[in-house]
Amino acid sequence: PGLSYTWIFNNNTLHLQEDGRRFVSQATGNLYLAKVEPWDVGNYTCAVSSAEAQRRVWGPPTALTLRGDGVMGEYEPKIEVRFPETTYAARGSSVRLECFALGK
């Protein structure tokens, strides 16, 4: 609670509102990229902020490279759903449920 996740791409903050292919889960901090393009190649660094602690911490950079053969590997399609069996909400409040499909 109270954490905010930002991703840095090649030393520049990713502005995800401008690109519907990328998404950062504020629940897990994970960065998701759909339909990787050559211009996505580079170094990605996660920055975690805590307003309460008034602190920001950066993780190590992770390089993304494209495979020359275009083969992603032997990954079966997989669907991940991450929410409890029951979700409670007060009338008029907002809830967010996350669901991701992964695969080739």
PDB file of all heavy atoms in Angstrom, residues 6-39:
ATOM      1  N   THR A   6       6.989   3.060 -11.568  1.00  0.00           N
ATOM      2  CA  THR A   6       7.282   3.738 -12.818  1.00  0.00           C
ATOM      3  C   THR A   6       8.383   2.958 -13.519  1.00  0.00           C
ATOM      4  O   THR A   6       9.268   2.411 -12.862  1.00  0.00           O
ATOM      5  CB  THR A   6       7.775   5.176 -12.563  1.00  0.00           C
ATOM      6  OG1 THR A   6       6.806   5.866 -11.779  1.00  0.00           O
ATOM      7  CG2 THR A   6       8.023   5.929 -13.846  1.00  0.00           C
ATOM      8  N   TRP A   7       8.338   2.913 -14.829  1.00  0.00           N
ATOM      9  CA  TRP A   7       9.408   2.260 -15.581  1.00  0.00           C
ATOM     10  C   TRP A   7      10.173   3.299 -16.388  1.00  0.00           C
ATOM     11  O   TRP A   7       9.597   4.209 -16.969  1.00  0.00           O
ATOM     12  CB  TRP A   7       8.842   1.175 -16.493  1.00  0.00           C
ATOM     13  CG  TRP A   7       8.560  -0.072 -15.724  1.00  0.00           C
ATOM     14  CD1 TRP A   7       7.431  -0.346 -15.002  1.00  0.00           C
ATOM     15  CD2 TRP A   7       9.421  -1.188 -15.562  1.00  0.00           C
ATOM     16  NE1 TRP A   7       7.546  -1.575 -14.410  1.00  0.00           N
ATOM     17  CE2 TRP A   7       8.752  -2.120 -14.733  1.00  0.00           C
ATOM     18  CE3 TRP A   7      10.690  -1.506 -16.042  1.00  0.00           C
ATOM     19  CZ2 TRP A   7       9.316  -3.340 -14.381  1.00  0.00           C
ATOM     20  CZ3 TRP A   7      11.252  -2.721 -15.690  1.00  0.00           C
ATOM     21  CH2 TRP A   7      10.567  -3.624 -14.871  1.00  0.00           C
ATOM     22  N   ILE A   8      11.481   3.131 -16.403  1.00  0.00           N
ATOM     23  CA  ILE A   8      12.387   4.002 -17.133  1.00  0.00           C
ATOM     24  C   ILE A   8      12.908   3.196 -18.327  1.00  0.00           C
ATOM     25  O   ILE A   8      13.336   2.056 -18.168  1.00  0.00           O
ATOM     26  CB  ILE A   8      13.586   4.433 -16.247  1.00  0.00           C
ATOM     27  CG1 ILE A   8      13.125   4.907 -14.861  1.00  0.00           C
ATOM     28  CG2 ILE A   8      14.453   5.450 -16.962  1.00  0.00           C
ATOM     29  CD1 ILE A   8      12.218   6.091 -14.864  1.00  0.00           C
ATOM     30  N   PHE A   9      12.841   3.784 -19.515  1.00  0.00           N
ATOM     31  CA  PHE A   9      13.327   3.128 -20.730  1.00  0.00           C
ATOM     32  C   PHE A   9      14.466   3.958 -21.297  1.00  0.00           C
ATOM     33  O   PHE A   9      14.275   5.130 -21.641  1.00  0.00           O
ATOM     34  CB  PHE A   9      12.185   3.002 -21.744  1.00  0.00           C
ATOM     35  CG  PHE A   9      12.605   2.493 -23.089  1.00  0.00           C
ATOM     36  CD1 PHE A   9      13.174   1.245 -23.228  1.00  0.00           C
ATOM     37  CD2 PHE A   9      12.424   3.267 -24.217  1.00  0.00           C
ATOM     38  CE1 PHE A   9      13.561   0.768 -24.474  1.00  0.00           C
ATOM     39  CE2 PHE A   9      12.802   2.801 -25.465  1.00  0.00           C
ATOM     40  CZ  PHE A   9      13.366   1.543 -25.595  1.00  0.00           C
ATOM     41  N   ASN A  10      15.666   3.366 -21.335  1.00  0.00           N
ATOM     42  CA  ASN A  10      16.859   4.073 -21.825  1.00  0.00           C
ATOM     43  C   ASN A  10      16.992   5.450 -21.180  1.00  0.00           C
ATOM     44  O   ASN A  10      17.182   6.462 -21.852  1.00  0.00           O
ATOM     45  CB  ASN A  10      16.836   4.193 -23.351  1.00  0.00           C
ATOM     46  CG  ASN A  10      17.004   2.850 -24.022  1.00  0.00           C
ATOM     47  OD1 ASN A  10      17.573   1.920 -23.459  1.00  0.00           O
ATOM     48  ND2 ASN A  10      16.498   2.726 -25.239  1.00  0.00           N
ATOM     49  N   ASN A  11      16.856   5.495 -19.870  1.00  0.00           N
ATOM     50  CA  ASN A  11      17.025   6.704 -19.056  1.00  0.00           C
ATOM     51  C   ASN A  11      15.918   7.745 -19.232  1.00  0.00           C
ATOM     52  O   ASN A  11      16.078   8.893 -18.815  1.00  0.00           O
ATOM     53  CB  ASN A  11      18.393   7.353 -19.296  1.00  0.00           C
ATOM     54  CG  ASN A  11      19.521   6.435 -18.885  1.00  0.00           C
ATOM     55  OD1 ASN A  11      19.450   5.783 -17.842  1.00  0.00           O
ATOM     56  ND2 ASN A  11      20.550   6.343 -19.700  1.00  0.00           N
ATOM     57  N   ASN A  12      14.799   7.360 -19.843  1.00  0.00           N
ATOM     58  CA  ASN A  12      13.657   8.266 -19.986  1.00  0.00           C
ATOM     59  C   ASN A  12      12.415   7.592 -19.404  1.00  0.00           C
ATOM     60  O   ASN A  12      12.185   6.403 -19.644  1.00  0.00           O
ATOM     61  CB  ASN A  12      13.393   8.601 -21.464  1.00  0.00           C
ATOM     62  CG  ASN A  12      14.534   9.377 -22.071  1.00  0.00           C
ATOM     63  OD1 ASN A  12      14.900  10.429 -21.580  1.00  0.00           O
ATOM     64  ND2 ASN A  12      15.106   8.848 -23.137  1.00  0.00           N
ATOM     65  N   THR A  13      11.613   8.354 -18.672  1.00  0.00           N
ATOM     66  CA  THR A  13      10.388   7.807 -18.092  1.00  0.00           C
ATOM     67  C   THR A  13       9.429   7.389 -19.195  1.00  0.00           C
ATOM     68  O   THR A  13       9.205   8.133 -20.147  1.00  0.00           O
ATOM     69  CB  THR A  13       9.706   8.858 -17.194  1.00  0.00           C
ATOM     70  OG1 THR A  13      10.620   9.229 -16.157  1.00  0.00           O
ATOM     71  CG2 THR A  13       8.435   8.305 -16.573  1.00  0.00           C
ATOM     72  N   LEU A  14       8.887   6.167 -19.095  1.00  0.00           N
ATOM     73  CA  LEU A  14       7.884   5.702 -20.057  1.00  0.00           C
ATOM     74  C   LEU A  14       6.578   6.451 -19.810  1.00  0.00           C
ATOM     75  O   LEU A  14       6.084   6.479 -18.688  1.00  0.00           O
ATOM     76  CB  LEU A  14       7.627   4.204 -19.887  1.00  0.00           C
ATOM     77  CG  LEU A  14       8.607   3.254 -20.537  1.00  0.00           C
ATOM     78  CD1 LEU A  14       8.265   1.817 -20.164  1.00  0.00           C
ATOM     79  CD2 LEU A  14       8.609   3.413 -22.041  1.00  0.00           C
ATOM     80  N   HIS A  15       6.016   7.033 -20.834  1.00  0.00           N
ATOM     81  CA  HIS A  15       4.726   7.711 -20.747  1.00  0.00           C
ATOM     82  C   HIS A  15       3.687   6.785 -21.373  1.00  0.00           C
ATOM     83  O   HIS A  15       3.441   6.832 -22.575  1.00  0.00           O
ATOM     84  CB  HIS A  15       4.773   9.075 -21.438  1.00  0.00           C
ATOM     85  CG  HIS A  15       5.743   9.997 -20.792  1.00  0.00           C
ATOM     86  ND1 HIS A  15       5.496  10.583 -19.563  1.00  0.00           N
ATOM     87  CD2 HIS A  15       6.976  10.404 -21.162  1.00  0.00           C
ATOM     88  CE1 HIS A  15       6.538  11.325 -19.222  1.00  0.00           C
ATOM     89  NE2 HIS A  15       7.444  11.234 -20.166  1.00  0.00           N
ATOM     90  N   LEU A  16       3.107   5.935 -20.544  1.00  0.00           N
ATOM     91  CA  LEU A  16       2.262   4.856 -21.045  1.00  0.00           C
ATOM     92  C   LEU A  16       0.915   5.316 -21.564  1.00  0.00           C
ATOM     93  O   LEU A  16       0.274   4.602 -22.317  1.00  0.00           O
ATOM     94  CB  LEU A  16       2.079   3.801 -19.945  1.00  0.00           C
ATOM     95  CG  LEU A  16       3.407   3.230 -19.443  1.00  0.00           C
ATOM     96  CD1 LEU A  16       3.177   2.276 -18.300  1.00  0.00           C
ATOM     97  CD2 LEU A  16       4.151   2.540 -20.572  1.00  0.00           C
ATOM     98  N   GLN A  17       0.465   6.504 -21.203  1.00  0.00           N
ATOM     99  CA  GLN A  17      -0.811   7.001 -21.702  1.00  0.00           C
ATOM    100  C   GLN A  17      -0.748   7.178 -23.215  1.00  0.00           C
ATOM    101  O   GLN A  17      -1.758   7.136 -23.892  1.00  0.00           O
ATOM    102  CB  GLN A  17      -1.190   8.348 -21.064  1.00  0.00           C
ATOM    103  CG  GLN A  17      -1.261   8.332 -19.567  1.00  0.00           C
ATOM    104  CD  GLN A  17       0.100   8.605 -18.917  1.00  0.00           C
ATOM    105  OE1 GLN A  17       1.159   8.359 -19.490  1.00  0.00           O
ATOM    106  NE2 GLN A  17       0.076   9.097 -17.700  1.00  0.00           N
ATOM    107  N   GLU A  18       0.446   7.401 -23.746  1.00  0.00           N
ATOM    108  CA  GLU A  18       0.620   7.646 -25.171  1.00  0.00           C
ATOM    109  C   GLU A  18       0.715   6.360 -25.971  1.00  0.00           C
ATOM    110  O   GLU A  18       0.717   6.386 -27.188  1.00  0.00           O
ATOM    111  CB  GLU A  18       1.897   8.466 -25.395  1.00  0.00           C
ATOM    112  CG  GLU A  18       1.884   9.803 -24.681  1.00  0.00           C
ATOM    113  CD  GLU A  18       3.252  10.466 -24.675  1.00  0.00           C
ATOM    114  OE1 GLU A  18       4.177   9.968 -25.341  1.00  0.00           O
ATOM    115  OE2 GLU A  18       3.392  11.480 -23.986  1.00  0.00           O
ATOM    116  N   ASP A  19       0.831   5.215 -25.296  1.00  0.00           N
ATOM    117  CA  ASP A  19       1.080   3.958 -25.994  1.00  0.00           C
ATOM    118  C   ASP A  19       0.214   2.860 -25.396  1.00  0.00           C
ATOM    119  O   ASP A  19       0.486   2.379 -24.300  1.00  0.00           O
ATOM    120  CB  ASP A  19       2.564   3.613 -25.863  1.00  0.00           C
ATOM    121  CG  ASP A  19       2.941   2.362 -26.623  1.00  0.00           C
ATOM    122  OD1 ASP A  19       2.055   1.691 -27.173  1.00  0.00           O
ATOM    123  OD2 ASP A  19       4.135   2.056 -26.667  1.00  0.00           O
ATOM    124  N   GLY A  20      -0.811   2.437 -26.097  1.00  0.00           N
ATOM    125  CA  GLY A  20      -1.704   1.397 -25.600  1.00  0.00           C
ATOM    126  C   GLY A  20      -1.094   0.009 -25.585  1.00  0.00           C
ATOM    127  O   GLY A  20      -1.708  -0.928 -25.121  1.00  0.00           O
ATOM    128  N   ARG A  21       0.138  -0.145 -26.093  1.00  0.00           N
ATOM    129  CA  ARG A  21       0.777  -1.463 -26.095  1.00  0.00           C
ATOM    130  C   ARG A  21       1.451  -1.804 -24.775  1.00  0.00           C
ATOM    131  O   ARG A  21       1.800  -2.942 -24.534  1.00  0.00           O
ATOM    132  CB  ARG A  21       1.855  -1.537 -27.191  1.00  0.00           C
ATOM    133  CG  ARG A  21       1.362  -1.410 -28.592  1.00  0.00           C
ATOM    134  CD  ARG A  21       2.503  -1.521 -29.614  1.00  0.00           C
ATOM    135  NE  ARG A  21       3.653  -0.693 -29.279  1.00  0.00           N
ATOM    136  CZ  ARG A  21       4.844  -1.187 -28.886  1.00  0.00           C
ATOM    137  NH1 ARG A  21       5.042  -2.467 -28.772  1.00  0.00           N
ATOM    138  NH2 ARG A  21       5.840  -0.359 -28.615  1.00  0.00           N
ATOM    139  N   ARG A  22       1.695  -0.803 -23.948  1.00  0.00           N
ATOM    140  CA  ARG A  22       2.422  -1.043 -22.694  1.00  0.00           C
ATOM    141  C   ARG A  22       1.545  -0.685 -21.504  1.00  0.00           C
ATOM    142  O   ARG A  22       0.770   0.268 -21.551  1.00  0.00           O
ATOM    143  CB  ARG A  22       3.717  -0.228 -22.683  1.00  0.00           C
ATOM    144  CG  ARG A  22       4.650  -0.660 -23.794  1.00  0.00           C
ATOM    145  CD  ARG A  22       5.936   0.107 -23.791  1.00  0.00           C
ATOM    146  NE  ARG A  22       5.752   1.409 -24.415  1.00  0.00           N
ATOM    147  CZ  ARG A  22       6.747   2.194 -24.773  1.00  0.00           C
ATOM    148  NH1 ARG A  22       7.982   1.828 -24.560  1.00  0.00           N
ATOM    149  NH2 ARG A  22       6.518   3.353 -25.333  1.00  0.00           N
ATOM    150  N   PHE A  23       1.708  -1.461 -20.430  1.00  0.00           N
ATOM    151  CA  PHE A  23       0.886  -1.283 -19.241  1.00  0.00           C
ATOM    152  C   PHE A  23       1.709  -1.630 -18.016  1.00  0.00           C
ATOM    153  O   PHE A  23       2.432  -2.625 -18.018  1.00  0.00           O
ATOM    154  CB  PHE A  23      -0.338  -2.199 -19.334  1.00  0.00           C
ATOM    155  CG  PHE A  23      -1.106  -2.313 -18.053  1.00  0.00           C
ATOM    156  CD1 PHE A  23      -1.942  -1.287 -17.636  1.00  0.00           C
ATOM    157  CD2 PHE A  23      -0.996  -3.444 -17.257  1.00  0.00           C
ATOM    158  CE1 PHE A  23      -2.650  -1.391 -16.449  1.00  0.00           C
ATOM    159  CE2 PHE A  23      -1.701  -3.547 -16.075  1.00  0.00           C
ATOM    160  CZ  PHE A  23      -2.532  -2.526 -15.672  1.00  0.00           C
ATOM    161  N   VAL A  24       1.613  -0.821 -16.965  1.00  0.00           N
ATOM    162  CA  VAL A  24       2.263  -1.120 -15.688  1.00  0.00           C
ATOM    163  C   VAL A  24       1.178  -1.424 -14.671  1.00  0.00           C
ATOM    164  O   VAL A  24       0.292  -0.605 -14.433  1.00  0.00           O
ATOM    165  CB  VAL A  24       3.132   0.058 -15.187  1.00  0.00           C
ATOM    166  CG1 VAL A  24       3.673  -0.245 -13.794  1.00  0.00           C
ATOM    167  CG2 VAL A  24       4.273   0.332 -16.144  1.00  0.00           C
ATOM    168  N   SER A  25       1.247  -2.611 -14.074  1.00  0.00           N
ATOM    169  CA  SER A  25       0.306  -2.978 -13.014  1.00  0.00           C
ATOM    170  C   SER A  25       0.722  -2.269 -11.738  1.00  0.00           C
ATOM    171  O   SER A  25       1.828  -2.471 -11.245  1.00  0.00           O
ATOM    172  CB  SER A  25       0.309  -4.489 -12.788  1.00  0.00           C
ATOM    173  OG  SER A  25      -0.390  -4.797 -11.607  1.00  0.00           O
ATOM    174  N   GLN A  26      -0.164  -1.437 -11.202  1.00  0.00           N
ATOM    175  CA  GLN A  26       0.140  -0.767  -9.942  1.00  0.00           C
ATOM    176  C   GLN A  26      -0.058  -1.718  -8.758  1.00  0.00           C
ATOM    177  O   GLN A  26       0.286  -1.384  -7.633  1.00  0.00           O
ATOM    178  CB  GLN A  26      -0.702   0.500  -9.787  1.00  0.00           C
ATOM    179  CG  GLN A  26      -0.296   1.607 -10.737  1.00  0.00           C
ATOM    180  CD  GLN A  26       1.158   2.047 -10.571  1.00  0.00           C
ATOM    181  OE1 GLN A  26       1.651   2.218  -9.468  1.00  0.00           O
ATOM    182  NE2 GLN A  26       1.851   2.219 -11.686  1.00  0.00           N
ATOM    183  N   ALA A  27      -0.573  -2.909  -9.012  1.00  0.00           N
ATOM    184  CA  ALA A  27      -0.693  -3.919  -7.956  1.00  0.00           C
ATOM    185  C   ALA A  27       0.609  -4.694  -7.787  1.00  0.00           C
ATOM    186  O   ALA A  27       1.016  -5.012  -6.678  1.00  0.00           O
ATOM    187  CB  ALA A  27      -1.841  -4.877  -8.268  1.00  0.00           C
ATOM    188  N   THR A  28       1.290  -5.004  -8.909  1.00  0.00           N
ATOM    189  CA  THR A  28       2.497  -5.824  -8.841  1.00  0.00           C
ATOM    190  C   THR A  28       3.759  -5.086  -9.261  1.00  0.00           C
ATOM    191  O   THR A  28       4.857  -5.523  -8.960  1.00  0.00           O
ATOM    192  CB  THR A  28       2.357  -7.051  -9.762  1.00  0.00           C
ATOM    193  OG1 THR A  28       2.251  -6.595 -11.122  1.00  0.00           O
ATOM    194  CG2 THR A  28       1.155  -7.895  -9.387  1.00  0.00           C
ATOM    195  N   GLY A  29       3.601  -3.994 -10.024  1.00  0.00           N
ATOM    196  CA  GLY A  29       4.755  -3.283 -10.562  1.00  0.00           C
ATOM    197  C   GLY A  29       5.231  -3.850 -11.885  1.00  0.00           C
ATOM    198  O   GLY A  29       6.150  -3.312 -12.496  1.00  0.00           O
ATOM    199  N   ASN A  30       4.623  -4.939 -12.357  1.00  0.00           N
ATOM    200  CA  ASN A  30       5.046  -5.558 -13.611  1.00  0.00           C
ATOM    201  C   ASN A  30       4.763  -4.659 -14.798  1.00  0.00           C
ATOM    202  O   ASN A  30       3.735  -3.991 -14.852  1.00  0.00           O
ATOM    203  CB  ASN A  30       4.324  -6.889 -13.827  1.00  0.00           C
ATOM    204  CG  ASN A  30       4.722  -7.936 -12.813  1.00  0.00           C
ATOM    205  OD1 ASN A  30       5.750  -7.836 -12.170  1.00  0.00           O
ATOM    206  ND2 ASN A  30       3.899  -8.955 -12.675  1.00  0.00           N
ATOM    207  N   LEU A  31       5.678  -4.680 -15.757  1.00  0.00           N
ATOM    208  CA  LEU A  31       5.509  -3.972 -17.024  1.00  0.00           C
ATOM    209  C   LEU A  31       5.134  -5.010 -18.069  1.00  0.00           C
ATOM    210  O   LEU A  31       5.794  -6.045 -18.197  1.00  0.00           O
ATOM    211  CB  LEU A  31       6.812  -3.273 -17.432  1.00  0.00           C
ATOM    212  CG  LEU A  31       6.868  -2.690 -18.843  1.00  0.00           C
ATOM    213  CD1 LEU A  31       5.859  -1.555 -19.010  1.00  0.00           C
ATOM    214  CD2 LEU A  31       8.272  -2.203 -19.159  1.00  0.00           C
ATOM    215  N   TYR A  32       4.064  -4.750 -18.802  1.00  0.00           N
ATOM    216  CA  TYR A  32       3.603  -5.651 -19.857  1.00  0.00           C
ATOM    217  C   TYR A  32       3.725  -4.926 -21.189  1.00  0.00           C
ATOM    218  O   TYR A  32       3.290  -3.787 -21.311  1.00  0.00           O
ATOM    219  CB  TYR A  32       2.155  -6.067 -19.615  1.00  0.00           C
ATOM    220  CG  TYR A  32       1.990  -6.846 -18.344  1.00  0.00           C
ATOM    221  CD1 TYR A  32       1.719  -6.199 -17.146  1.00  0.00           C
ATOM    222  CD2 TYR A  32       2.126  -8.230 -18.330  1.00  0.00           C
ATOM    223  CE1 TYR A  32       1.580  -6.905 -15.958  1.00  0.00           C
ATOM    224  CE2 TYR A  32       1.983  -8.946 -17.149  1.00  0.00           C
ATOM    225  CZ  TYR A  32       1.714  -8.285 -15.968  1.00  0.00           C
ATOM    226  OH  TYR A  32       1.583  -8.979 -14.806  1.00  0.00           O
ATOM    227  N   LEU A  33       4.316  -5.605 -22.184  1.00  0.00           N
ATOM    228  CA  LEU A  33       4.439  -5.065 -23.530  1.00  0.00           C
ATOM    229  C   LEU A  33       3.716  -6.003 -24.489  1.00  0.00           C
ATOM    230  O   LEU A  33       3.940  -7.211 -24.451  1.00  0.00           O
ATOM    231  CB  LEU A  33       5.907  -4.974 -23.975  1.00  0.00           C
ATOM    232  CG  LEU A  33       6.732  -3.862 -23.382  1.00  0.00           C
ATOM    233  CD1 LEU A  33       7.365  -4.297 -22.089  1.00  0.00           C
ATOM    234  CD2 LEU A  33       7.773  -3.432 -24.355  1.00  0.00           C
ATOM    235  N   ALA A  34       2.862  -5.446 -25.336  1.00  0.00           N
ATOM    236  CA  ALA A  34       2.175  -6.234 -26.357  1.00  0.00           C
ATOM    237  C   ALA A  34       2.805  -5.919 -27.700  1.00  0.00           C
ATOM    238  O   ALA A  34       3.155  -4.770 -27.982  1.00  0.00           O
ATOM    239  CB  ALA A  34       0.689  -5.888 -26.371  1.00  0.00           C
ATOM    240  N   LYS A  35       2.968  -6.922 -28.512  1.00  0.00           N
ATOM    241  CA  LYS A  35       3.482  -6.757 -29.875  1.00  0.00           C
ATOM    242  C   LYS A  35       4.798  -5.986 -29.889  1.00  0.00           C
ATOM    243  O   LYS A  35       4.880  -4.863 -30.366  1.00  0.00           O
ATOM    244  CB  LYS A  35       2.444  -6.073 -30.757  1.00  0.00           C
ATOM    245  CG  LYS A  35       1.168  -6.856 -30.876  1.00  0.00           C
ATOM    246  CD  LYS A  35       0.149  -6.137 -31.735  1.00  0.00           C
ATOM    247  CE  LYS A  35      -1.144  -6.920 -31.769  1.00  0.00           C
ATOM    248  NZ  LYS A  35      -2.198  -6.206 -32.507  1.00  0.00           N
ATOM    249  N   VAL A  36       5.832  -6.611 -29.355  1.00  0.00           N
ATOM    250  CA  VAL A  36       7.150  -5.978 -29.266  1.00  0.00           C
ATOM    251  C   VAL A  36       7.635  -5.561 -30.651  1.00  0.00           C
ATOM    252  O   VAL A  36       7.518  -6.303 -31.619  1.00  0.00           O
ATOM    253  CB  VAL A  36       8.164  -6.942 -28.598  1.00  0.00           C
ATOM    254  CG1 VAL A  36       9.570  -6.376 -28.646  1.00  0.00           C
ATOM    255  CG2 VAL A  36       7.748  -7.229 -27.166  1.00  0.00           C
ATOM    256  N   GLU A  37       8.146  -4.350 -30.725  1.00  0.00           N
ATOM    257  CA  GLU A  37       8.649  -3.768 -31.964  1.00  0.00           C
ATOM    258  C   GLU A  37      10.143  -3.480 -31.811  1.00  0.00           C
ATOM    259  O   GLU A  37      10.647  -3.408 -30.695  1.00  0.00           O
ATOM    260  CB  GLU A  37       7.901  -2.460 -32.264  1.00  0.00           C
ATOM    261  CG  GLU A  37       6.413  -2.620 -32.471  1.00  0.00           C
ATOM    262  CD  GLU A  37       6.064  -3.312 -33.783  1.00  0.00           C
ATOM    263  OE1 GLU A  37       6.948  -3.459 -34.653  1.00  0.00           O
ATOM    264  OE2 GLU A  37       4.893  -3.708 -33.930  1.00  0.00           O
ATOM    265  N   PRO A  38      10.856  -3.299 -32.931  1.00  0.00           N
ATOM    266  CA  PRO A  38      12.304  -3.024 -32.836  1.00  0.00           C
ATOM    267  C   PRO A  38      12.629  -1.821 -31.955  1.00  0.00           C
ATOM    268  O   PRO A  38      13.656  -1.808 -31.283  1.00  0.00           O
ATOM    269  CB  PRO A  38      12.713  -2.773 -34.294  1.00  0.00           C
ATOM    270  CG  PRO A  38      11.720  -3.550 -35.095  1.00  0.00           C
ATOM    271  CD  PRO A  38      10.419  -3.461 -34.323  1.00  0.00           C
ATOM    272  N   TRP A  39      11.767  -0.815 -31.919  1.00  0.00           N
ATOM    273  CA  TRP A  39      12.059   0.379 -31.108  1.00  0.00           C
ATOM    274  C   TRP A  39      11.840   0.134 -29.611  1.00  0.00           C
ATOM    275  O   TRP A  39      12.126   1.001 -28.806  1.00  0.00           O
ATOM    276  CB  TRP A  39      11.269   1.596 -31.591  1.00  0.00           C
ATOM    277  CG  TRP A  39       9.796   1.364 -31.727  1.00  0.00           C
ATOM    278  CD1 TRP A  39       8.860   1.429 -30.729  1.00  0.00           C
ATOM    279  CD2 TRP A  39       9.088   1.012 -32.902  1.00  0.00           C
ATOM    280  NE1 TRP A  39       7.614   1.142 -31.213  1.00  0.00           N
ATOM    281  CE2 TRP A  39       7.722   0.883 -32.558  1.00  0.00           C
ATOM    282  CE3 TRP A  39       9.462   0.790 -34.227  1.00  0.00           C
ATOM    283  CZ2 TRP A  39       6.756   0.531 -33.482  1.00  0.00           C
ATOM    284  CZ3 TRP A  39       8.491   0.450 -35.139  1.00  0.00           C
ATOM    285  CH2 TRP A  39       7.161   0.328 -34.764  1.00  0.00           C
TER     286      TRP A  39
END
